[in-house]
Amino acid sequence: MYYRETGQIVRSYVKDRSMVPLREDRWIMAVFLAFMFLVVPFIGNDYWFSAILIPMMVLSIASLGLNIASGYTGQLSLGSAGFMSFGAFTAYNFLLRVEWMNIWLAFLAAGIVAGLMGIVFGLPSLRIKGFYLLVSTLCAQFFHEWLFNAYPWFLNYASSGVVHLPYFHYRFLPFQDQIFDMLGLAKEYNAYVWRYLITLIVTVLLALAAKNMVRSSTGRNWMAVRDMDIAAKVIGIPVGKTKLNAFFVSCFYCGVAGAMYSYCYIGNLDFMIYDLRRSFLVMFMIILGGLGSILGSFLGAIFVYGWPIFVTRFGDAVFGGGYLDTAFVENNSKIVVGTIIVVLLIYQPLGFAGLWNSVKHRLRIWPFRT
Amino acid sequence: MANGANGKVPHMVIEGIDLSFGGAKAITDISFTVYKGEICAVIGPNGAGKSSMLNVINGVYTPQQGTITYEGKKFAKMKSHSAAVMGIGRTFQNIALFSGMTTVENIMTGRNLMMKSTFIENALGVGRSRREELEHREAVEEIIEFLGLQSIRKDHVSSLSYGLQKRVELGRALAAEPKMLLLDEPIAGMNLDEKLDMACFIQEINRNRGTTIVLIEHDMGVVMDISDHVVVMDYGKKIGDGTPNEIKNNKDVIDAYLGVSHDN
Amino acid sequence: MEILASLVTAFADLFSLFGLEVFVGGMLSGIMYSLVAIGFVLVYKSSGVFNFAQGTMLLFAALTFVSLTERQVNFWVAFAITCVVMVIIGLIIERTVMRPLANQDLLSLFMATVGVNYFLEGLAQGTWDSAVHGVELGIPTDPVFVSEVIPWLDILVSKFDGFAAAVALGMVVGLYLFFQYTRTGLSLRAVSDDHMASQAVGIPLAKIWAIVWAVTGIICFIAGLIWADRLSVSFTLTWAVLKGLPVILIGGLTSIPGCLVGGLIIGASEKIGEIFFADVFGGQGIEHWWAYLTALVFILIRPTGIFGERDIERI
């Protein structure tokens, strides 16, 4: 069919471990990325940026983060929203208090601080396993809500408990003012198109980094710890260090996602947003998308975030505007997501990514069957 | 290093190991010496404490008493990690492969001790990380070729047959270039062809790489054929120690295996 | 230094009659968590599943009951209907989720219950509504002076907590007797030790699991009623229930009496933390994470919990 491996012979280890092994896939990827970078900024409108593209990418990064801890390393976590919150607050406070800070460095700092928190709350994993770890990560989840509530300094003493993020925090270019003047652009640095581009760049970079890690010794060590920790220890993999490393990287991703959630998606800083419900949503994303799969992290995030929007739009189109109330949509998506989780676990434990792989496999050998 | 009685160099000396779990005694006062470059078989009935002995050697269990002298260094207890660093490789009785990974990835994990790049370098995927990946991949491919695993290189190990899984596990241990290999029932549960293949691999590893091999096995034919030195355990105690021929004629061993009447 | 001083004062305050009152009150309020923990342990013990849907089952039961009584259904009729509904839900979960996933790894089973959790959440609020409902069961809530019974003990205790404690104790004793002295109980213990082996000796695994899930449904209902009276019925109920987690970790995952003890410890620690140590940390509301921290410290010292069994890792 479309996928023809015939003639694509791998002659070197470099080629053999290339990220996208099939020529056809490389084409699709290239066209897709070019479209996202070069076409979408011009044709997209604020609704698409703010309600669809940005949140989907941000949540994909969060679910990728959780997938590194849970899917790749087997460490359950219910605190991803908490680590997102640490990231968001770090980014805000750096941009608020450090004169020369720009948004890229702030995101980096967000990741590092969240990652360090991840190490702290991941420390119990050295001694306890499995479900026990839920307690530690739940602790992180509730700790951040308390911390940012008890110490208003983090919110710059905003009386309402919510900070609107000012446009001048969005410093993403050197000599940004001059460049914008020169090009005659309005200095709305927080316009959705800029936020979209920032999100896209960060997302692509982090996805690449994740892909690189999982196909290197780092990723193999994670998976070894997940699959059989005693055997891992016996062949010399430092199990404890690997777990903490996974927690750091996982929470780094969550932290950056949290900062982007505030800066690029909602434009506010508000710790109430990063509640346990969001942690659960991120967990659903990786279960649906596929544990231990980067593609799955994206597919899961897109589905879990996109389904309610789809139902609303569908309802509007079929029954006329405003027919379906939000409570219905919310309950509907809970039932649908819950059902799909169970069905996938029974029939396709690797989630959407597993489904996609089997479809791809069929395409490759079509017209023959497995 | 002191030479043994017959000019052999001791690789590891085990002295007075006692191991118990709660009240249950698994190993009582075991001592034996493994010489460099030999194939040493540990045999004995089920439940004799053979696997526990291997677990003590590479630090999975901590004995209550006794010492292990490895290459002249004395340890009261081994740590799994340092055992690996010192070059002790291991396979398990119930295959302990990383089931979510492919054959190549599993064997690559065996080389992790030699890979120095940090996760940041790996995330960037250039320079040292990339170089290491390719270098070690080449070494792993040699092992894959040696063990004849080419056709299943990219298969997930959970989909492989028992015999092949055992082979991949041997490959993973081999990838670390160990000086001593502990093999826990490497040929148990295989058909005749697979058994012969595996026995050949073990002998070849021993001869060509000079790796000392300690193995547990129930198949007496193979044990007597390939090993230089046999240690017999029963009920956690050592009841025999010598060359295969000596063991064949050892009365205690014959009693343990064939049974003995306790009337007289 | 300042923190140290306030820490010392906090500890000093602890050893007073007021401290004792807080301690006892805390222990009793911790029983509320025990009620939830019992359901967790029952399922874990018999099928090795960490049932995350526990909280939502609880919400579902409470919501069903409240919605029925609000529609002028007689109290006992509503009670009976809810019991039947919960048993059916338990059986459906067992039949459609647990059985197809039998012999899967624990992580899949856990995630399946997370899915069930989300499904039930949607179903509960979709069938009834997402509003907050008050419940009045007529459980007395006024405090009593312990000094009326024990003259030298001049502290206040809530009657409500006492009632909850009695219910929890009743459930624990009942389940204990059931496990120790009935044939089904014996089979349950066998199943919890080894699925395969019990199947091999002819224990009907499916039937046993069905019983467990049905019983769990009813336990959820009872716990849900008491929780609902305490808090009112709303979505937040499912979160309050998460505190059952630290409780079972402290008690040991498989021990039903452990639920009681764990509940007492978590409850006392939580109240003492909030009242005496919150200021040291610089803000009220630490009880939301304090319970988890307590459990964490506890299992770091004793990873199997108080009554848990230790596994020797065999390879």
Side-chain angles (χ1 to χ4, degrees), chain A residues 124-150:
Chain A
S125 71
L126 301 183
R127 216 171 131 74
I128 54 182
K129 283 190 199 175
F131 304 125
Y132 290 70
L133 215 53
L134 286 178
V135 172
S136 175
T137 51
L138 272 173
C139 190
Q141 176 64 43
F142 290 114
F143 179 75
H144 94 86
E145 287 176 26
W146 169 82
L147 179 74
F148 296 132
N149 189 32

Side-chain angles (χ1 to χ4, degrees), chain C residues 93-125:
Chain C
I93 295 177
E94 192 279 324
R95 188 70 192 80
T96 59
V97 183
M98 291 303 141
R99 216 180 297 175
L101 284 171
N103 299 329
Q104 292 278 343
D105 61 311
L106 294 180
L107 194 67
S108 310
L109 285 167
F110 166 73
M111 291 188 306
T113 65
V114 173
V116 171
N117 178 56
Y118 211 44
F119 175 88
L120 279 181
E121 213 174 284
L123 188 68
Q125 300 188 342

Side-chain angles (χ1 to χ4, degrees), chain C residues 76-99:
Chain C
W76 290 109
V77 176
F79 190 91
I81 293 177
T82 314
C83 272
V84 172
V85 169
M86 288 317 290
V87 167
I88 292 173
I89 286 183
L91 292 178
I92 291 177
I93 295 177
E94 192 279 324
R95 188 70 192 80
T96 59
V97 183
M98 291 303 141
R99 216 180 297 175

Side-chain angles (χ1 to χ4, degrees), chain B residues 38-44 220 223-224 227-232 238 240-247 253:
Chain B
E38 72 172 2
I39 298 183
C40 168
V42 180
I43 62 170
M220 282 310 133
V223 166
M224 295 302 169
S227 46
D228 307 306
H229 172 195
V230 178
V231 174
V232 192
K238 186 172 90 170
D241 189 345
T243 63
N245 272 326
E246 287 165 14
I247 294 299
V253 176

Side-chain angles (χ1 to χ4, degrees), chain B residues 9-203:
Chain B
V9 182
H11 194 160
M12 178 172 61
V13 183
I14 291 159
E15 280 169 302
I17 295 286
D18 264 345
L19 174 75
S20 54
F21 300 107
K25 207 130 204 217
I27 298 176
T28 318
D29 192 25
I30 293 267
S31 308
F32 62 92
T33 303
V34 179
Y35 296 96
K36 260 210 174 106
E38 72 172 2
I39 298 183
C40 168
V42 180
I43 62 170
N46 284 322
K50 305 180 302 287
S51 289
S52 297
M53 194 60 236
L54 288 200
N55 282 336
V56 167
I57 293 175
N58 76 340
V60 178
Y61 294 158
T62 307
Q64 277 76 25
Q65 258 179 38
T67 57
I68 295 170
T69 311
Y70 181 82
E71 290 187 328
K73 270 179 280 179
K74 203 170 206 172
F75 299 91
K77 70 177 222 190
M78 278 282 189
K79 278 202 177 134
S80 300
H81 190 259
S82 42
V85 172
M86 290 186 299
I88 302 181
R90 166 87 194 259
T91 69
F92 297 87
Q93 183 179 353
N94 306 313
I95 300 163
L97 284 174
F98 306 126
S99 52
M101 297 154 89
T102 62
T103 302
V104 132
E105 286 172 327
N106 262 285
I107 301 180
M108 285 290 273
T109 58
R111 296 193 72 83
N112 98 91
L113 277 174
M114 298 168 221
M115 301 178 82
K116 302 290 174 222
S117 29
T118 62
F119 74 97
I120 295 175
E121 290 172 275
N122 283 336
L124 299 174
V126 289
R128 179 161 72 163
S129 158
R130 190 185 156 87
R131 208 166 51 238
E132 276 187 346
E133 258 330 285
L134 298 175
E135 256 172 47
H136 290 289
R137 177 67 192 274
E138 239 162 87
V140 163
E141 285 297 331
E142 273 168 31
I143 291 167
I144 287 180
E145 205 181 319
F146 167 59
L147 296 173
L149 299 170
Q150 294 94 331
S151 60
I152 53 156
R153 193 187 272 131
K154 290 282 174 83
D155 289 7
H156 276 261
V157 290
S158 50
S159 66
L160 301 178
S161 71
Y162 178 82
L164 281 178
Q165 292 196 358
K166 281 265 182 197
R167 239 190 250 187
V168 176
E169 208 190 3
L170 178 64
R172 185 180 67 186
L174 216 50
E177 294 172 11
K179 294 179 202 151
M180 174 184 275
L181 254 181
L182 312 175
L183 306 174
D184 198 342
E185 305 201 3
I187 61 172
M190 292 182 167
N191 65 32
L192 192 62
D193 282 345
E194 291 172 328
K195 274 186 186 179
L196 289 178
D197 280 349
M198 196 51 121
C200 286
F201 291 141
I202 294 171
Q203 277 186 304

